[in-house]
Amino acid sequence: MINRIDGRNVDQLRPVSIELDYVNTSLGAVLMAMGQTKVICTVSCEDRVPPFLIGTDKGWLTAEYAMLPGSSQRRVSREGATGKINSRSREIQRLIGRSLRAAVDLEVLGERTLYIDCDVLQADGGTRTASITGAYVALRLAVDRLITEGALESNPIKRPVAAVSVGVIEDQVMLDLCYEEDIRAETDMNVVMTDGEGIIEIQGTAEGKPFNREQTEGMLDFAATGIDEIMQAQKAAFSA
């Protein structure tokens, strides 16, 4: 058995913290923390849709993701300053958008767009999965307020969404990798699920040697158990 850096069991999550209404300038705002990874997730709404949806009575949900300059030990340059597109950020924000659209009935939204912004304050592995988990909570806050304000007649959220990372290090499956574990991993996988172990997306890559079916099943089992625990934390945040 491998000794983890922080002493956790191989199937144990890092401490989960969800702070609602972290800022008061957005419809929904959450400070999401998984261990030392911290992401602020906010949701805004505009009464317009992309051109391909005009006249359809359907809404849209899209996401943006960025690591703030001080989120890593080495300063992260802002895209606006460099003029270069960060392909990693683009890939992650597409994942966040796909994951959250799986939770929403776009027809119930009407012709309006929900914008989800995920900004990493501190990165220690699992920033994309923490972003998805926090974004769902921020989305629920935003939708509740739109209903209260009369902008929405009914709730467009169909199902909960959460995500977690899993991996293989020295042939051992592990849940919720921190950065030091992630850079050592032979396999890195991100899993997005809904309740009842319904899978929304799996991103799995062999960084060293290929992983096998048994390891895949082990990673999915760990992910399902971890996501169930994360969803309990999401529910607890609303009842606190």
Side-chain angles (χ1 to χ4, degrees):
M1 185 72 68
I2 299 172
N3 292 322
R4 303 191 74 169
I5 293 168
D6 51 13
R8 285 182 291 147
N9 295 328
V10 293
D11 60 350
Q12 186 177 356
L13 291 172
R14 292 175 290 178
V16 179
S17 172
I18 303 174
E19 183 177 343
L20 306 187
D21 298 319
Y22 187 67
V23 297
N24 61 10
T25 50
S26 299
L27 280 171
V30 166
L31 177 62
M32 179 73 208
M34 295 286 294
Q36 294 303 310
T37 289
K38 300 178 182 180
V39 185
I40 180 171
C41 306
T42 60
V43 178
S44 308
C45 180
E46 291 186 2
D47 291 329
R48 61 176 182 173
V49 291
F52 69 91
L53 285 175
I54 293 174
T56 65
D57 292 327
K58 291 178 64 176
W60 190 241
L61 182 152
T62 188
E64 293 189 14
Y65 165 98
M67 290 181 60
L68 298 183
S71 60
S72 179
Q73 290 184 354
R74 174 177 290 185
R75 183 182 183 274
V76 179
S77 298
R78 299 181 192 272
E79 286 188 18
T82 63
K84 298 179 181 179
I85 296 175
N86 186 315
S87 58
R88 176 180 178 273
S89 295
R90 291 294 183 268
E91 183 265 325
I92 292 174
Q93 68 190 33
R94 291 188 181 110
L95 170 65
I96 298 168
R98 289 193 303 271
S99 300
L100 272 295
R101 283 194 295 273
V104 174
D105 186 338
L106 297 176
E107 292 187 358
V108 176
L109 275 181
E111 290 199 18
R112 56 177 56 86
T113 298
L114 296 175
Y115 296 90
I116 296 176
D117 288 283
C118 299
D119 293 289
V120 179
L121 303 179
Q122 184 169 284
D124 185 33
T127 61
R128 72 185 68 194
T129 53
S131 294
I132 292 167
T133 299
Y136 170 75
V137 178
L139 177 64
R140 270 197 56 184
L141 287 174
V143 165
D144 287 348
R145 289 188 174 123
L146 288 171
I147 292 173
T148 299
E149 294 169 1
L152 287 176
E153 294 182 1
S154 58
N155 191 340
I157 297 178
K158 300 182 293 183
R159 57 184 64 90
V161 173
V164 76
S165 67
V166 284
V168 178
I169 299 175
E170 298 179 21
D171 292 324
Q172 173 66 61
V173 174
M174 290 188 181
L175 175 67
D176 192 16
L177 307 184
C178 67
Y179 175 75
E180 292 298 328
E181 292 171 335
D182 185 63
I183 61 176
R184 294 171 50 210
E186 298 147 18
T187 299
D188 181 26
M189 182 179 285
N190 299 295
V191 182
V192 187
M193 301 182 79
T194 184
D195 54 354
E197 299 187 6
I199 296 171
I200 294 172
E201 184 151 346
I202 299 171
Q203 295 183 329
T205 304
E207 303 287 353
K209 61 183 179 181
F211 54 100
N212 57 40
R213 284 177 177 264
E214 182 180 358
Q215 289 171 327
T216 301
E217 291 174 1
M219 285 187 283
L220 291 177
D221 287 344
F222 275 19
T225 301
I227 285 174
D228 182 67
E229 186 176 337
I230 291 169
M231 286 186 174
Q232 295 304 315
Q234 288 174 323
K235 291 178 184 177
F238 285 102
S239 60

